[in-house]
Amino acid sequence: MNFSHKIKPLFLLLLCFSSAAVFAQKGTKFKVTLDAGHGGKDFGAVYNGHVEKNIALSVALKVGKILEGMSAFEVNYTRKTDVFIDLVERANIANRADANIFVSIHCNANPNTAAYGTETHVMGMSKNASALAVAKRENEVITMEKDYKEKYDGFDPNSPESIVNTTLMVEENLENSIALASKIQKRFTNDLKKRDRGVKQAPYMVLHKAFMPRVLIEMGFISNPKEGGDLDTEEGQMEIAQAIANAIVSYKKDYFGSGENENEIKPSQRIESVKSTADEDKPTPGNAPVQVDKPIDKTEVANGKVIFKVQISASGKKLETTPSNFKGLKNISVTSDNGTLYKYMYGETTDYNEAKQNLAEAKAKGFDSAYLIAFRDGRKITIQEALK
């Protein structure tokens, strides 16, 4: 009996199901949280009739509309109208959405009205005076929030450096944040011919609590008569929005869907973990909290085949791993993502305590934003996984 005429339809049916499954797997949407800076009672910078909160909202909505026109993206917003949102709530909106990236959109300002150009910030400690000044201005908004001293654990907005408990869990997203920021700056300078003020690190409270790659964009100086005027036009805002959207699309293409992060804890799970830990660690009345840095057993870590390194920088430029290029540090290694981002690491040890010493040494050399990373069997894992 000839079954060929029955087998062919069955084969085609199975092929369709298989193709649909593959499409569904590949069709995972890239989630973007767009944060329009300021809002409501917080006007942001105001110069020559140009209001930062309005410009930031208009650009954020335009970026969102561009991305929403692409089936591969899912967009959510911290605000879509003129309302006041607490800084920590902005981050939590992204965390609850399990966003892949968080993009906060702002306008810069300076009493020197000649200042101009674009810059994009990532979370990190900094000794740069201008970066700290911008962070201070953006962080001051928390004083408009009710019970901000309790809510932000005594953080002083006049001293951005007081964000001292930036955890390793948060810092592990630094390299991807730098990659996204670099792409945004590249679009501004190459596509729009804007002055490139660079990618900078500073302690922003709005970025501090977001558990994914995140950036804060300063689109230009609202205080500069020409640049401020351009930012307050439909054409100028559309150009900026398109550049930001193009950078996000490029970032997704390079960094999303590799499968490397499939088993990582999602931001929504991390925020619940942070809440739980905060409740457990809350001091009883009359007792000051005491933090104990518990030593990690070297043998336990070694048996788990975990290697610790210190990531000291990430850059689009390839450097020779000689001590002269890294402030005298030896034992430098480098990895690359398709030649677009080079990650430079210092040291290599299976001992967590020794790794912390290496981290302290790197910071003493001037690598203020250095942080620990871990590998198991050649695969990058979180510090939390490494210490389990």
Side-chain angles (χ1 to χ4, degrees), residues 312-313 318-330 332-334 343-346 365 367:
I312 56 176
S313 66
K318 186 176 182 181
L319 299 173
E320 293 296 325
T321 57
T322 56
S324 60
N325 284 333
F326 297 93
K327 303 180 182 180
L329 291 178
K330 301 177 182 178
I332 300 294
S333 56
V334 59
K343 306 166 192 174
Y344 298 96
M345 296 159 287
Y346 166 60
K365 289 283 188 179
F367 293 99

Side-chain angles (χ1 to χ4, degrees), residues 127-142:
K127 294 179 181 178
N128 182 280
S130 63
L132 288 173
V134 176
K136 177 182 174 182
R137 179 170 61 82
E138 298 294 354
N139 288 339
E140 282 176 344
V141 65
I142 70 169

Side-chain angles (χ1 to χ4, degrees), residues 2-3 30 54 81 110 118 166 224 247 259 367:
N2 188 354
F3 292 98
F30 186 78
N54 297 336
T81 58
N110 195 302
T118 65
T166 304
N224 181 289
F367 293 99

Side-chain angles (χ1 to χ4, degrees), residues 7 67 89-90 102 126 133 161 184 197 206 221 223 226 244 246 294 315 328 379 386:
I7 293 174
L67 295 177
E89 176 58 17
R90 293 170 186 265
F102 175 80
S126 174
E161 305 95 319
I184 292 168
R197 296 174 64 91
V206 71
F221 283 79
S223 51
K226 183 181 186 310
I244 295 172
N246 288 344
K294 182 180 178 182
S315 171
R379 185 179 69 87

Side-chain angles (χ1 to χ4, degrees), residues 295-304 306 349-354:
I296 304 298
D297 184 76
K298 181 176 179 177
T299 306
E300 285 184 1
V301 178
N303 287 342
V306 171
T349 179
T350 57
D351 184 348
Y352 179 63
N353 298 308
E354 184 180 333

Side-chain angles (χ1 to χ4, degrees), residues 37-38 42 44-45 52 87 104-109 121 131-142 155 157 203-206 216-218:
H38 308 281
D42 174 20
E52 181 180 2
L87 290 188
S104 189
I105 297 174
H106 294 255
C107 299
N108 215 335
H121 294 252
L132 288 173
V134 176
K136 177 182 174 182
R137 179 170 61 82
E138 298 294 354
N139 288 339
E140 282 176 344
V141 65
I142 70 169
F155 168 69
Y204 287 92
M205 183 54 73
V206 71
L216 186 146
I217 302 170
E218 297 285 3

